[in-house]
């Protein structure tokens, strides 16, 4: 207010004019000037929003704000919905418990057979994983042996061969280095 009215107050001829100017500024500020920090509302609209729960605008997507329910009515409806959900959960729990009691009346031998089936299924699944991992280990061990062959070749290779291998396309010329074609999957 000071930054806006400071120069204008200096131009007022008397105190009554200053008082009128300040009152009108405050009225306009509170009722006509939207504030970014107040969700784009004037202070008066924001106060109504906080106390009544309705954002002060004329129309919400074609529906007048007067047609909307109040915040108190909304809270009442929410509370009823919460109570209804709690009731349904309670009924579901009772249903689940009675169903569990029925299932628990199964013959013990049948229960053990069912458990065995589940356990065997899990064992078979893990065995498949073990088999796959064993095959991967064998493949990697073979690849490791081939890298030993490559190292032996390179330690005996001439300087010109070593220099030519700085270019990857030249690796194909030497069968001792063919392991490189099979390493792509491990990287």
């Amino acid at each position: 207010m000071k930054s806006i009215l400071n120069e204008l107050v200096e131009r007022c001829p008397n105190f009554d004019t200053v008082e009128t100017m300040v009152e009108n500024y405050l009225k306009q500020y509170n009722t006509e000037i939207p504030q970014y920090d107040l969700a784009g509302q004037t202070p008066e609209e924001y106060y109504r929003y906080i106390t009544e729960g309705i954002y002060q605008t004329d129309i919400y997507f074609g529906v007048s704000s007067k047609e909307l329910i109040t915040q108190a009515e909304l809270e009442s409806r929410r509370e009823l919905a919460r109570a209804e959900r709690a009731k349904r959960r309670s009924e579901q729990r009772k249903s689940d418990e009675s169903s569990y009691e029925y299932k628990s009346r199964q013959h013990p031998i049948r229960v053990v057979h069912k458990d065995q089936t589940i356990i065997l299924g899990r064992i078979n699944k893990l065995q498949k994983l073990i088999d796959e991992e064993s095959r991967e280990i064998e493949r990697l061990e073979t690849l490791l042996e081939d890298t030993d062959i490559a190292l032996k070749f390179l330690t005996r290779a001439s300087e010109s061969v070593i220099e030519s291998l700085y270019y990857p396309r030249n690796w194909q010329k030497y069968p001792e280095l063919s392991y490189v074609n099979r390493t792509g999957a491990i990287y």
Side-chain angles (χ1 to χ4, degrees):
M1 182 173 82
K2 286 181 191 178
S3 62
I4 294 172
L5 295 182
N6 198 24
E7 289 181 23
L8 293 173
V9 168
E10 291 177 9
R11 298 176 62 194
C12 292
N14 55 39
F15 181 77
D16 291 337
T17 310
V18 171
E19 189 175 36
T20 303
M21 184 182 288
V22 169
E23 286 175 5
N24 287 336
Y25 172 82
L26 289 174
K27 186 185 297 182
Q28 183 179 1
Y29 180 87
N30 285 324
T31 61
E32 296 176 23
I33 301 174
Q35 304 295 312
Y36 177 79
D37 292 338
L38 302 178
Q41 301 174 84
T42 67
E44 184 178 80
E45 290 170 338
Y46 187 73
Y47 176 77
R48 281 193 214 127
Y49 170 70
I50 294 299
T51 57
E52 298 172 15
I54 297 176
Y55 190 78
Q56 299 298 316
T57 186
D58 294 329
I59 298 174
Y60 294 97
F61 306 105
V63 176
S64 168
S65 62
K66 293 175 184 170
E67 296 177 58
L68 300 175
I69 63 172
T70 65
Q71 187 68 26
E73 177 65 22
L74 178 63
E75 288 300 321
S76 173
R77 289 181 182 192
R78 287 179 178 167
E79 187 56 40
L80 287 173
R82 279 192 284 274
E84 184 61 33
R85 283 193 304 273
K87 181 181 174 185
R88 281 196 308 267
R89 280 193 302 269
S90 175
E91 290 170 358
Q92 183 64 43
R93 251 186 258 115
K94 288 177 186 175
S95 173
D96 290 347
E97 288 170 2
S98 66
S99 175
Y100 176 75
E101 288 174 11
Y102 170 75
K103 289 177 185 176
S104 66
R105 287 191 219 144
Q106 293 180 5
H107 195 281
I109 292 175
R110 188 173 181 187
V111 172
V112 172
H113 280 301
K114 186 177 177 182
D115 291 344
Q116 282 180 330
T117 303
I118 292 169
I119 292 168
L120 282 172
R122 182 76 175 135
I123 288 171
N124 289 336
K125 186 176 181 179
L126 291 172
Q127 189 60 50
K128 286 180 185 177
L129 289 173
I130 289 171
D131 293 344
E132 289 173 8
E133 295 299 324
S134 296
R135 285 192 296 274
E136 179 67 10
I137 289 171
E138 288 174 16
R139 190 177 76 76
L140 290 172
E141 286 174 342
T142 302
L143 198 56
L144 187 60
E145 290 171 4
D146 290 348
T147 60
D148 288 337
I149 293 168
L151 275 176
K152 288 178 186 173
F153 167 75
L154 291 171
T155 56
R156 294 187 206 136
S158 68
E159 193 61 37
S160 62
V161 170
I162 297 292
E163 282 187 35
S164 73
L165 293 175
Y166 282 104
Y167 301 98
R169 68 176 176 271
N170 293 334
W171 284 56
Q172 297 172 0
K173 295 178 184 178
Y174 305 98
E176 297 88 348
L177 303 176
S178 65
Y179 82 91
V180 172
N181 297 329
R182 297 185 314 260
T183 60
I186 64 171
Y187 294 109

